[in-house]
Amino acid sequence: EWIEKNTLTINQLNREGRMNFIHDVYDVLNFPNVSVQVMAIWSGIESIILSEGRVRESIKSRCAMILEEDEEKQKSRFKRIGELYDFRSKVIHGNENFNLLTVIEESESTQKFCESYQLLTDLLLKVLERGRFWTREELREIQEKYPSRNPM
């Protein structure tokens, strides 16, 4: 039932051109280079949230606001996404040796890799629930509402 309901939505989103990353993620998940997988996962995340300006902050606040309604959960998610983004940056820029052996050893990096994939999955499910991607303007508005921009 879920597949039937969302197939048309996925096809529509694909026609708009913003789903190209999903094909890359699917291909790369079947390829054993985990560093490339990290790159594809984060490319997908960034394609959904259209980060801009201070990219790291943009990613953290937009994801937190999209995925969590409770302010404390948003702050917790914001912090964790920062840690995941740091992992992504270290892997992509060659500052962390992340390979298949690292994954097999079930390291902290493996946990961050899995959480990054879950983050992409959660965002994609939110897109499917809405039936469309957020526009750049909608994402700017979401980011402006993040609690750290509005002191208590």
Side-chain angles (χ1 to χ4, degrees):
E1 181 180 335
W2 186 90
I3 292 173
E4 282 180 28
K5 177 183 171 202
N6 290 290
T7 299
L8 292 175
T9 302
I10 290 172
N11 287 335
Q12 176 60 38
L13 295 170
N14 196 35
R15 278 192 291 277
E16 294 171 10
R18 287 192 51 197
M19 288 287 287
N20 292 340
F21 71 87
I22 202 75
H23 304 291
D24 296 335
V25 170
Y26 177 81
D27 289 345
V28 91
L29 288 175
N30 293 293
F31 186 77
N33 184 333
V34 291
S35 292
V36 174
Q37 291 176 0
V38 169
M39 190 176 350
I41 289 167
W42 279 92
S43 175
I45 291 168
E46 293 182 46
S47 292
I48 293 171
I49 58 136
L50 303 174
S51 60
E52 55 191 353
R54 294 176 47 206
V55 173
R56 186 176 189 274
E57 297 304 307
S58 176
I59 290 170
K60 294 186 322 180
S61 59
R62 290 177 182 194
C63 288
M65 291 293 288
I66 287 168
L67 296 174
E68 302 293 348
E69 291 188 24
D70 176 75
E71 189 172 316
E72 287 307 311
K73 288 182 180 179
Q74 289 172 351
K75 289 178 181 178
S76 175
R77 178 77 77 140
F78 179 91
K79 181 178 185 284
R80 186 58 178 163
I81 291 169
E83 294 165 357
L84 298 177
Y85 188 81
D86 290 344
F87 161 73
R88 164 245 179 248
S89 296
K90 288 177 186 174
V91 170
I92 289 175
H93 298 295
N95 297 322
E96 181 165 330
N97 184 20
F98 186 64
N99 55 41
L100 199 52
L101 184 57
T102 312
V103 173
I104 292 168
E105 292 173 347
E106 296 188 21
S107 66
E108 181 181 340
S109 295
T110 303
Q111 179 64 31
K112 289 177 181 175
F113 170 74
C114 292
E115 285 183 54
S116 295
Y117 182 73
Q118 187 61 53
L119 176 60
L120 173 60
T121 301
D122 293 345
L123 288 169
L124 190 53
L125 289 172
K126 288 288 187 182
V127 169
L128 290 174
E129 283 176 20
R130 297 181 87 229
R132 63 184 182 85
F133 285 98
W134 291 269
T135 64
R136 192 168 295 280
E137 187 56 39
E138 288 172 322
L139 290 163
R140 285 181 188 133
E141 289 173 15
I142 287 169
Q143 187 172 349
E144 283 300 315
K145 292 177 185 172
Y146 185 72
S148 68
R149 295 195 179 266
N150 303 312
M152 297 176 180

